[in-house]
């Protein structure tokens, strides 16, 4: 029954998902939902990451696993929602050149879509956010910084 409900959640709310699964042993007995950015549709890897994290937020948390690519070249911050674990396993997450953003931040800002570079409309509580690096994981800033 639980598997059927899980499948219903995936396909009724996110038709762009290619694959999502429930972890039983990813992190010390963790039984949360595990997704990879490659499991989601998007024009680029940053959009796929955002869609994956949006899905985890709707599921009240889970794990996003960065493992399949050697380098994830991002063009916006990875905004981690509450109750989320980010695992970087044997790869590099790198901020693209000339991008004015953080690499990682909490996803607790309510941003005004009409004026995204202004102040946040609201700062929501954030809790239970973990970032885990394994097997030589690297998180790296841009080579050429934004100069505005």
């Amino acid at each position: 029954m639980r598997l059927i409900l899980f499948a219903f959640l995936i396909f009724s709310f996110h038709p762009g998902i290619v694959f999502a699964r429930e972890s039983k042993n990813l992190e010390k007995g963790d039984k949360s939902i595990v997704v990879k950015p490659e499991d989601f549709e998007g024009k680029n890897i940053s959009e796929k990451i955002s869609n994956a994290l949006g899905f985890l937020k709707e599921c009240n948390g889970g794990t996003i696993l960065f493992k399949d690519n050697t380098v994830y070249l991002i063009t916006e911050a990875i905004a981690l929602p509450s109750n989320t674990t980010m695992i970087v396993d044997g790869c590099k997450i790198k901020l693209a050149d000339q991008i004015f953003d953080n690499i990682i931040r909490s996803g607790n800002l309510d941003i005004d879509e009409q004026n995204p570079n202004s102040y946040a409309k609201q700062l929501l509580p954030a809790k239970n956010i973990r970032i885990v690096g394994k097997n030589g994981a690297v998180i790296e800033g841009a080579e050429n910084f934004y100069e505005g």
Side-chain angles (χ1 to χ4, degrees):
M1 180 67 172
R2 188 168 155 184
L3 185 59
I4 292 169
L5 178 61
F6 178 69
F8 171 75
L9 286 172
I10 289 173
F11 293 112
S12 62
F13 297 116
H14 284 279
I17 294 175
V18 177
F19 176 76
R21 62 189 165 102
E22 183 177 2
S23 167
K24 293 189 177 145
N25 293 322
L26 190 62
E27 279 289 306
K28 298 181 183 177
D30 184 21
K31 288 195 69 166
S32 65
I33 296 169
V34 178
V35 296
K36 295 180 181 178
E38 296 82 9
D39 298 340
F40 292 79
E41 292 180 349
K43 293 180 231 166
N44 55 46
I45 196 63
S46 290
E47 193 172 296
K48 290 178 182 186
I49 292 168
S50 180
N51 290 339
L53 291 170
F55 174 74
L56 290 179
K57 185 175 182 178
E58 287 182 18
C59 294
N60 197 27
T63 300
I64 184 164
L65 177 62
F66 293 87
K67 186 175 183 168
D68 290 346
N69 290 340
T70 310
V71 177
Y72 290 85
L73 189 63
I74 61 171
T75 56
E76 62 185 56
I78 297 172
L80 297 172
S82 290
N83 305 313
T84 301
T85 298
M86 175 176 149
I87 298 177
V88 183
D89 190 354
C91 61
K92 179 190 289 188
I93 296 177
K94 182 170 179 48
L95 187 64
D97 288 346
Q98 301 297 315
I99 300 297
F100 184 67
D101 208 342
N102 297 320
I103 299 170
I104 301 169
R105 65 172 174 81
S106 66
N108 63 335
L109 298 176
D110 184 11
I111 296 177
D112 182 2
E113 296 297 327
Q114 302 299 321
N115 194 5
N117 294 323
S118 184
Y119 296 104
K121 293 193 304 189
Q122 185 178 7
L123 182 62
L124 306 168
K127 61 181 181 178
N128 301 321
I129 297 173
R130 293 178 50 211
I131 301 170
V132 178
K134 298 171 142 185
N135 302 317
V138 175
I139 298 175
E140 185 176 278
E143 299 278 332
N144 299 304
F145 301 105
Y146 173 83
E147 296 178 28

